[in-house]
Structure formats: structure tokens, C-alpha cells
Amino acid sequence: MSTNFLFTGRVVVIATMHEKEKAIAPILEAELGVQCVVPNDFNTDIFGTFTRDIARPADQITTAKLKAKKALEITGETIAIASEGSFAPHPDLPFISSNQEIVVFIDTLNQLEIVGQEISTETNFNSQSIRTVEEADSFAREIGFPSHGLVVMLNPNSSDREEIFKGINTAEKLREIVTFALSKSLTGKVHIETDMRALYNPTRMQNIAKATRNLIQKISQICPNCACPGFDAIAYRRGLPCGLCNLPTSAIRSVVYQCQRCSFQQENLFPQGVKVADPSQCMYCNP
Ligand SMILES: [Zn+2]
Ligand SMILES: [Zn+2]
């Protein structure tokens, strides 16, 4: 079923100052028939920065919703999109960095809040303490510089903005800033890290595009009861039976979907396409 009639021809405000519209707008315009705009001088830094000089006010989804609502307030429009990224060890692979991107869609006319997400190990997220320009150059080579930008700080724990140099994306600028920062450093070391802002990080931009694709998928999931878009998973139930002894295991047995408008629920069995768990996941067969 198509949900496009709800959104066709409407304006979508993209709450960004880091050119995220480059990843988000083409997908939204093609899939929903909307027209995307970016508000002028929209300062998203007040909602937190990766470089820690401004702390994020709340968790990732809440922060994105705050941004989207601010954009609606400024423009007077009725649909806004905001995205938030975070970087952490992968939930299943603790030695590998991962990037979680979420994209929040708010439609005040239809009272919808729909969230798309992408968790990817495709990220150059990294940092290091360096003592020389050569060490900076070698770190830069590893993280895909100069298409991916860098940040240099005198002290990674300081929130002093005068000691943070962001958006470094030429070899000349990198050498100049590292030389300057080393001359100011009391320890002989400075901190260098990847600039994770979307416009300085094409790998992150791709993950934002994937989260936007996931959002389009969520929008196309329609409540069987009232046809509201965004019929989404709210819980995963464990207890898939063991293939050997038939006792319940910790593997997922079903997913519960719920409509945000009419609260209709539907439980879908065996989301992974298998009806029994491998005995290696069974507490009885493999204690
Ligand atoms: Zn419904
Ligand atoms: Zn078993």
C-alpha cells in the first residue's frame, strides 16, 4: 500500500547545518514526493557536539526530536527530519568501532513520529595522542584524510573551544595546526581525532543515507487496523525452542509490532525465518 498521498507535495524541513540534506533529501524526494528545504542559520551545535565542547542534552532519539521540533518552530512547516549519530564499540564485536545513525521524521499534521536507523561497522572513528607532525600524517593516512576531516585538540578532556581545531581537510592546514598545537602543549603531546561531522565524513554520510532508507521502509509499514504509517517493532520476545530438546532458548521467537495511533498490536512469529534454535544456544543442551 502506498502512503505517499499523505506526504506528496509537502515541504520537509531538514534540521541540519552539516549538509546532511545531501544524504537525506534525494531519497525523501524520490520516495515520498516531498520538497526538502534546509533552514538558514540553523545552529544544531546547541544540541551537542562530537568534540565534547557542548554536551548533548538527552539521548540520541530525544535529541533528534528536539532538533526537528526546533526546525518546525522556526519555519512554521509541518514535517521535519533530524538525525543524530553516535560512535561506540559494536554491541556484538567490542573491539570494532560502530556508528549508529538515527533519522527522526515528525509530521505534526498527521501526528506521526517515525524513526529510521542504521548500525554499521563502516566508520573511520578513531583518535590518538601524537608527538610529531609525522605521527599526525600517518594517523591521517589511516583514516582516509583528506576526504575525511580531522580535529586537533591540546587536551581531549578540555571543553575550551580555543584549544580545539575542527574541520582540518588539507595537508598544509594539518601540518600548520599540529605544529602550532605542539608548540603550545605543556606535555609535548596533542590529541588528534577523526572529524565525525557529516560534511567532513563521507563514510558517515553513507550511513545517514542507509538510516534514511530504513526510515522509508518504516513509513511504508502500515497498521493493518487503521492504515497509519510507521507500524513498527516495539518488543522482541525470546524463547525460540531448542531444535534438540524443545525447551525455550534465549533466541528471538517473535516480534511485536504496534501502531502509534490506534495501539493495535500484532505478533509476528519466527522473524529470523527459523522455527527452532541451534542447540548451541540452549542452556540445557549446551550449558
Ligand atoms: Zn493503527
Ligand atoms: Zn536443548
Side-chain angles (χ1 to χ4, degrees):
M1 196 194 298
S2 169
T3 51
N4 285 7
F5 66 93
L6 285 179
F7 312 117
T8 308
R10 292 176 65 191
V11 170
V12 174
V13 186
I14 303 182
T16 181
M17 62 172 202
H18 294 147
E19 299 176 12
K20 290 177 186 171
E21 72 276 10
K22 287 181 177 168
I24 296 171
I27 298 172
L28 243 49
E29 291 183 348
E31 300 291 334
L32 299 180
V34 294
Q35 183 206 336
C36 293
V37 298
V38 177
N40 291 326
D41 308 322
F42 186 64
N43 183 3
T44 52
D45 276 358
I46 55 169
F47 300 104
T49 61
F50 290 124
T51 35
R52 302 172 288 280
D53 39 340
I54 305 168
R56 192 150 61 189
D59 66 83
Q60 218 174 335
I61 290 180
T62 311
T63 303
K65 285 182 180 173
L66 287 172
K67 276 191 207 173
K69 284 174 184 165
K70 188 76 190 166
L72 290 177
E73 195 184 301
I74 291 170
T75 58
E77 296 292 347
T78 54
I79 304 181
I81 289 249
S83 101
E84 273 291 301
S86 67
F87 303 89
H90 192 277
D92 303 322
L93 311 161
F95 298 109
I96 294 178
S97 290
S98 73
N99 171 202
Q100 179 176 21
E101 291 295 335
I102 58 124
V103 177
V104 170
F105 177 96
I106 294 184
D107 176 354
T108 53
L109 208 61
N110 294 297
Q111 288 164 354
L112 294 172
E113 291 191 0
I114 303 174
V115 180
Q117 77 156 349
E118 165 73 11
I119 298 176
S120 176
T121 55
E122 291 290 316
T123 177
N124 69 341
F125 180 63
N126 203 350
S127 66
Q128 197 179 309
S129 171
I130 52 160
R131 293 171 175 275
T132 63
V133 170
E134 288 67 34
E135 282 178 16
D137 283 342
S138 118
F139 179 82
R141 275 194 299 275
E142 272 171 43
I143 62 92
F145 183 81
S147 67
H148 292 72
L150 285 168
V151 178
V152 168
M153 301 182 204
L154 282 179
N155 175 1
N157 303 314
S158 164
S159 60
D160 184 347
R161 286 171 152 220
E162 306 220 322
E163 298 188 339
I164 301 177
F165 306 90
K166 301 182 191 181
I168 303 167
N169 59 2
T170 67
E172 270 177 352
K173 215 166 148 190
L174 178 62
R175 285 175 169 254
E176 186 188 310
I177 287 168
V178 169
T179 306
F180 173 77
L182 284 169
S183 78
K184 289 267 178 189
S185 169
L186 301 173
T187 59
K189 292 186 287 189
V190 296
H191 179 85
I192 189 166
E193 67 181 36
T194 45
D195 195 328
M196 301 317 293
R197 291 174 298 166
L199 73 167
Y200 291 102
N201 203 304
T203 303
R204 181 168 174 230
M205 203 67 110
Q206 284 173 16
N207 290 337
I208 294 171
K210 285 180 188 163
T212 307
R213 292 253 166 240
N214 180 249
L215 172 74
I216 296 292
Q217 168 62 36
K218 296 274 181 75
I219 289 174
S220 75
Q221 292 169 200
I222 303 291
C223 170
N225 187 49
C226 78
C228 177
F231 192 59
D232 199 4
I234 56 149
Y236 293 86
R237 291 187 179 152
R238 299 181 185 280
L240 193 67
C242 169
L244 205 61
C245 72
N246 213 33
L247 282 174
T249 68
S250 62
I252 306 290
R253 182 175 178 274
S254 69
V255 189
V256 181
Y257 287 79
Q258 183 174 297
C259 174
Q260 56 180 276
R261 179 173 296 156
C262 74
S263 298
F264 175 81
Q265 282 196 354
Q266 184 172 290
E267 185 176 13
N268 289 3
L269 288 173
F270 315 124
Q272 266 118 25
V274 288
K275 294 186 177 178
V276 289
D278 193 277
S280 67
Q281 291 174 285
C282 176
M283 284 300 286
Y284 179 74
C285 298
N286 188 24

